[in-house]
Amino acid sequence: QVQLVESGGGLVQAGGSLRLSCAASGSIVSVNYMGWYRQAPGKQRELVAAITSSGSTNYADSVKGRFTISRDNAKNTVYLQMNSLKPEDTAVYYCNANAIAASTYRGMDYWGKGTLVTVSS
């Protein structure tokens, strides 16, 4: 199996910055796609940013120019640098990865438990 553990959430004032990290561990053969989703109270979970193993990225329009996703393939870790945070960025942020575990040898989606980001006005 593959486990994802997020860290770096917290409370920040509007205009501030936070950096989220997510490390994948377990009997991993390879990690393909990695991404960050978020879910605000009363809203559906939405994609924030994603990155492939080769480094191609994709961002939600609402975070373009403010958030940067990156990854360290050697550490199976993905990061989300969030700058110029706004109150509407308040949400639980979830790490997602498509990975191949040694126990299955097929690509599956895995999710972290989430980390809360609160942006005060």
Side-chain angles (χ1 to χ4, degrees), residues 1-73:
Q1 291 295 326
V2 177
Q3 296 82 39
L4 302 179
V5 178
E6 304 107 332
S7 61
L11 174 64
V12 64
Q13 288 188 332
S17 299
L18 281 175
R19 188 190 194 212
L20 305 182
S21 299
C22 171
S25 62
S27 299
I28 299 171
V29 175
S30 64
V31 180
N32 305 314
Y33 161 107
M34 299 188 82
W36 290 95
Y37 287 71
R38 67 185 181 187
Q39 188 166 19
K43 294 189 177 181
Q44 289 188 332
R45 190 173 297 189
E46 62 176 359
L47 175 68
V48 176
I51 186 167
T52 66
S53 57
S54 61
S56 296
T57 58
N58 182 39
Y59 295 93
D61 287 342
S62 59
V63 305
K64 283 181 181 177
R66 299 188 298 122
F67 291 10
T68 302
I69 189 170
S70 61
R71 65 187 283 176
D72 183 333
N73 290 331

Side-chain angles (χ1 to χ4, degrees), residues 35-118:
W36 290 95
Y37 287 71
R38 67 185 181 187
Q39 188 166 19
K43 294 189 177 181
Q44 289 188 332
R45 190 173 297 189
E46 62 176 359
L47 175 68
V48 176
I51 186 167
T52 66
S53 57
S54 61
S56 296
T57 58
N58 182 39
Y59 295 93
D61 287 342
S62 59
V63 305
K64 283 181 181 177
R66 299 188 298 122
F67 291 10
T68 302
I69 189 170
S70 61
R71 65 187 283 176
D72 183 333
N73 290 331
K75 296 181 179 179
N76 288 327
T77 299
V78 63
Y79 306 96
L80 186 67
Q81 178 66 44
M82 305 185 293
N83 299 328
S84 302
L85 282 160
K86 304 175 181 179
E88 51 264 43
D89 295 318
T90 296
V92 177
Y93 284 70
Y94 296 91
C95 179
N96 169 254
N98 183 275
I100 299 175
S103 59
T104 63
Y105 263 88
R106 60 186 180 97
M108 294 178 61
D109 273 351
Y110 297 91
W111 291 90
K113 294 182 178 181
T115 184
L116 177 62
V117 171
T118 304

